[in-house]
Amino acid sequence: MFKHAVITPFLGRTQDRFSEYNQPRTLEEKFKILKSINGMTGAELVYPYEVNDVEETKKLLDKYDVKLAAINVNIKVEPEFKSGGLTSTDPKVRARAVQFIKNAKDFAEALGADKVQCCPLSDGYEFSFQADYVETWKYLTDTFAEAGAYKPHIPLFIEYKPNEVRGRCYIDNAAKTACLIKSIGNENIGVTLDYGHSLYGDNNPAEELALLESEGLKYYIHINDNDGKWDWDYFCGSRSLMQYIEFIYYLKKFNYQGWLTSDTSPTRWDIEKVFEANVRMTNKISNRIDEIGMGVFGESLRKKEYMDIWADLENYFIKI
């Protein structure tokens, strides 16, 4: 059975370019909601804007028996990071961005978290000739190398995304993230694979997962869904069900023991029901694969004629 967590800001007020959704809530109020979600036991907390007080956070984690999936460090909010923190041409700005990650590792260590994850959304560009790509790649290599080398027992996971808040993010797919980590050469730097980021980046989440596994890289998983056009953060299986089934199959094939963390935005829908759907859909798929048997499932996938494979998938998953 998979372990399920949630990125806790999604349990309070969220917003897009035009509207705000749900009510602002304290961390304790968010934990109360988390504990009411059937099957949800962990949290990914955002540092330093959601949490920054070690003792207060520790008390709430103990009080509500919430486990830590990760500390998410935000390096896009500060005004000097708006055009890039880790890739800024100003060495002082780059140093501050790295220090944010180091501080997050300190915070994670104090709370007993086993990882820090970072999505460098402000590091990117919009137009031709806006950036020196050789220079920015060097900055990314140097800054993530320094951040990853600090307290290596707290692994750093890099989350890629095609775009937002920049027109194009430098770290926009699994392959490029893997190249970056291989260039750095630190086995304690891993990849956060967000299912939706992979999907709307015109990639196949299961294939990207297999790439990371084949390259021997650590990975951590965010789950959600979208229509392949934008990062809508819908609930799991709502728009790409068969691809999500394939993704779960490969997680089981690779014996993934980490957290499945819901990076899902319940804008117009009931918060508890959205996250319960994530847990329920994921576990139903996992259980059905177990019922079929990994070996039997694997035999189906090795058939040479795809229509024979599809017939098996119909039999396994479609009951009308």
Side-chain angles (χ1 to χ4, degrees):
M1 189 67 69
F2 291 111
K3 300 186 298 183
H4 288 274
V6 61
I7 301 178
T8 47
F10 287 116
L11 301 176
R13 173 176 287 174
T14 58
Q15 66 182 60
D16 56 26
R17 292 171 60 192
F18 305 106
S19 302
E20 291 185 342
Y21 307 94
N22 300 309
Q23 300 299 315
R25 293 184 173 91
T26 65
L27 184 60
E28 181 162 14
E29 289 170 331
K30 293 172 186 176
F31 279 4
K32 287 179 181 178
I33 294 176
L34 189 159
K35 294 299 291 184
S36 71
I37 299 169
N38 188 31
M40 192 73 71
T41 57
E44 181 178 310
L45 305 177
V46 178
Y47 174 89
Y49 301 105
E50 182 189 32
V51 292
N52 53 52
D53 185 306
V54 170
E55 292 307 317
E56 178 185 351
T57 306
K58 189 178 293 186
K59 287 178 183 177
L60 290 174
L61 288 167
D62 290 342
K63 179 178 178 180
Y64 290 95
D65 190 27
V66 173
K67 309 302 180 186
L68 276 174
I71 297 298
N72 182 322
V73 57
N74 191 323
I75 53 170
K76 66 180 185 295
V77 174
E78 298 298 298
E80 63 265 45
F81 295 159
K82 67 181 181 180
S83 294
L86 297 169
T87 56
S88 172
T89 56
D90 186 337
K92 292 182 180 178
V93 174
R94 295 199 303 276
R96 186 163 189 234
V98 170
Q99 190 60 50
F100 262 56
I101 300 175
K102 290 180 178 179
N103 292 346
K105 284 196 169 191
D106 291 338
F107 189 77
E109 183 180 51
L111 288 178
D114 65 357
K115 70 177 72 65
V116 165
Q117 91 97 28
C118 175
C119 190
L121 297 179
S122 69
D123 290 286
Y125 62 97
E126 288 75 35
F127 310 112
S128 298
F129 294 101
Q130 188 177 357
D132 181 327
Y133 308 125
V134 175
E135 181 180 68
T136 53
W137 186 257
K138 183 179 186 304
Y139 289 157
L140 281 170
T141 304
D142 290 347
T143 51
F144 273 123
E146 181 180 348
Y150 180 74
K151 294 191 173 178
H153 59 285
I154 307 289
L156 172 62
F157 287 75
I158 303 171
E159 181 178 3
Y160 62 90
K161 189 171 186 178
N163 51 40
E164 194 193 33
V165 292
R166 303 307 300 268
R168 184 184 185 98
C169 295
Y170 288 124
I171 305 301
D172 58 355
N173 59 52
K176 192 182 290 185
T177 315
C179 284
L180 177 68
I181 296 170
K182 291 288 186 176
S183 295
I184 294 170
N186 184 341
E187 63 180 13
N188 290 311
I189 300 178
V191 181
T192 298
L193 195 169
D194 182 294
Y195 179 89
H197 294 181
S198 176
L199 200 65
Y200 96 91
D202 199 25
N203 290 299
N204 179 351
E207 183 184 9
E208 290 201 308
L209 177 64
L211 170 68
L212 300 178
E213 175 73 18
S214 298
E215 289 297 315
L217 295 172
K218 297 178 185 291
Y219 48 85
Y220 166 56
I221 305 298
H222 282 177
I223 57 173
N224 45 54
D225 205 351
N226 61 58
D227 59 3
K229 298 177 182 178
W230 180 242
D231 187 33
W232 295 111
D233 285 337
Y234 295 148
F235 62 90
C236 297
S238 56
R239 298 302 296 263
S240 63
L241 179 57
M242 193 57 74
Q243 282 180 279
Y244 193 61
I245 291 171
E246 183 183 42
F247 186 67
I248 297 301
Y249 168 78
Y250 276 94
L251 284 172
K252 294 174 72 66
K253 179 181 177 71
F254 301 145
N255 194 32
Y256 179 69
Q257 298 294 309
W259 292 91
L260 295 185
T261 297
S262 288
D263 187 337
T264 306
S265 186
T267 51
R268 299 166 181 84
W269 308 282
D270 182 271
I271 290 176
E272 294 178 35
K273 291 179 180 178
V274 163
F275 291 113
E276 284 176 352
N278 279 0
V279 175
R280 186 175 64 250
M281 286 295 295
T282 302
N283 289 348
K284 277 187 174 182
I285 292 167
S286 176
N287 291 339
R288 181 60 183 144
I289 292 172
D290 287 341
E291 289 171 1
I292 297 163
M294 290 293 289
V296 173
F297 206 98
E299 289 175 11
S300 292
L301 301 187
R302 285 190 289 273
K303 292 182 177 179
K304 296 185 181 299
E305 170 57 58
Y306 182 72
M307 297 313 300
D308 294 335
I309 297 172
W310 181 254
D312 284 347
L313 295 175
E314 283 185 44
N315 181 53
Y316 296 155
F317 295 108
I318 301 174
K319 303 292 184 183
I320 298 177

